[in-house]
């Protein structure tokens, strides 16, 4: 099944590259920690470590990774545990290429949105840091001119990483 998935899916057209394959859960964990993939596809039943344990461990070491679990079990308990680990998709076997491709497209869109959001946050943080000296200068000028509401000085100063120690 693993070999079939790797051959049948047109990874590049979906915006992915297949970076590794593992025969068991322990090998998958080691490979994922080394390669740090965006998406991990795993079977729920594997030798040495099952898919749920793999997901549990990957959520600690790769919290941003999207996890897709394949299962031959239409068992609510497995699905509940997978949801509890923030698994992105729980797919019942047999798996077909169209269904998996649709899942991968959704995950790609989600990853792209998350990356754009992180870039925006980083850009805002960068601009804030560039303007911090000016903001501090304005704070001091407003403080000296008495334009800051009494009682709010320390909170406003703390937001600008200014330490206002002392009685007055």
């Amino acid at each position: 099944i693993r070999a079939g998935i790797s051959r049948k899916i047109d990874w590049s057209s979906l915006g992915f590259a297949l970076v590794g394959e593992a025969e068991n859960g322990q090998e998958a964990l080691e490979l994922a920690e080394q390669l740090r993939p965006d998406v991990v596809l795993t079977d729920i039943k594997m030798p040495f470590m099952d898919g749920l344990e793999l997901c549990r461990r990957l959520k600690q070491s790769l919290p941003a990774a999207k996890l897709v679990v394949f299962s031959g079990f239409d068992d609510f308990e497995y699905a509940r545990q997978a949801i509890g680990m923030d698994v992105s998709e729980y797919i019942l076997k047999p798996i077909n290429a169209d269904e998996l491709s649709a899942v991968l497209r959704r995950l790609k869109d989600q990853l792209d949105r998350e990356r754009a959001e992180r870039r925006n946050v980083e850009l805002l943080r960068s601009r804030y840091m560039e303007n911090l000296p000016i903001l501090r200068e304005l704070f001091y000028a407003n403080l000296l001119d008495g334009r800051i509401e009494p009682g709010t000085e320390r909170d406003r100063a703390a937001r600008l990483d200014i330490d206002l120690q002392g009685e007055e």
Side-chain angles (χ1 to χ4, degrees):
I1 291 174
R2 179 174 35 87
I5 289 172
S6 64
R7 279 193 322 268
K8 293 256 186 210
I9 300 297
D10 185 0
W11 299 100
S12 60
S13 74
L14 296 171
F16 288 99
L18 180 63
V19 296
E21 292 182 42
E23 292 184 15
N24 63 63
Q26 186 61 43
E27 185 183 328
L29 178 63
E30 292 168 7
L31 198 58
E33 287 177 339
Q34 177 189 349
L35 297 173
R36 307 192 63 75
D38 293 320
V39 177
V40 174
L41 308 174
T42 182
D43 199 318
I44 207 156
K45 289 290 185 192
M46 296 183 292
F48 304 115
M49 179 189 309
D50 70 19
L52 291 177
E53 180 61 22
L54 174 64
C55 290
R56 226 182 319 280
R57 291 188 182 190
L58 287 176
K59 270 301 166 187
Q60 293 172 358
S61 59
L62 299 172
K66 304 297 179 201
L67 306 174
V68 178
V69 175
F70 303 128
S71 176
F73 304 100
D74 189 6
D75 184 336
F76 176 75
E77 184 57 27
Y78 282 120
R80 186 190 65 74
Q81 288 180 42
I83 290 167
M85 284 179 277
D86 199 25
V87 167
S88 299
E89 297 282 341
Y90 185 86
I91 303 173
L92 292 175
K93 294 178 189 175
I95 304 155
N96 69 53
D98 291 338
E99 179 185 10
L100 185 54
S101 294
V103 166
L104 290 169
R105 275 192 286 281
R106 280 195 307 271
L107 292 176
K108 175 75 167 86
D109 290 344
Q110 188 178 358
L111 286 164
D112 289 346
R113 280 192 308 274
E114 289 171 3
R115 282 194 183 108
E117 192 174 300
R118 279 193 302 272
R119 277 194 302 270
N120 289 339
V121 166
E122 190 53 43
L123 180 62
L124 287 172
R125 182 177 292 120
S126 171
R127 293 234 172 103
Y128 174 76
M129 294 308 287
E130 287 173 13
N131 291 306
L132 191 56
I134 296 167
L135 294 170
R136 287 177 177 155
E137 199 172 301
L138 284 170
F139 172 78
Y140 286 130
N142 287 333
L143 183 64
L144 292 171
D145 287 343
R147 289 185 277 177
I148 294 182
E149 189 176 323
T152 65
E153 305 90 351
R154 290 187 197 278
D155 288 340
R156 291 184 65 183
R159 282 183 282 190
L160 297 170
D161 291 328
I162 298 172
D163 185 16
L164 291 181
Q165 295 295 322
E167 295 294 317
E168 298 186 24

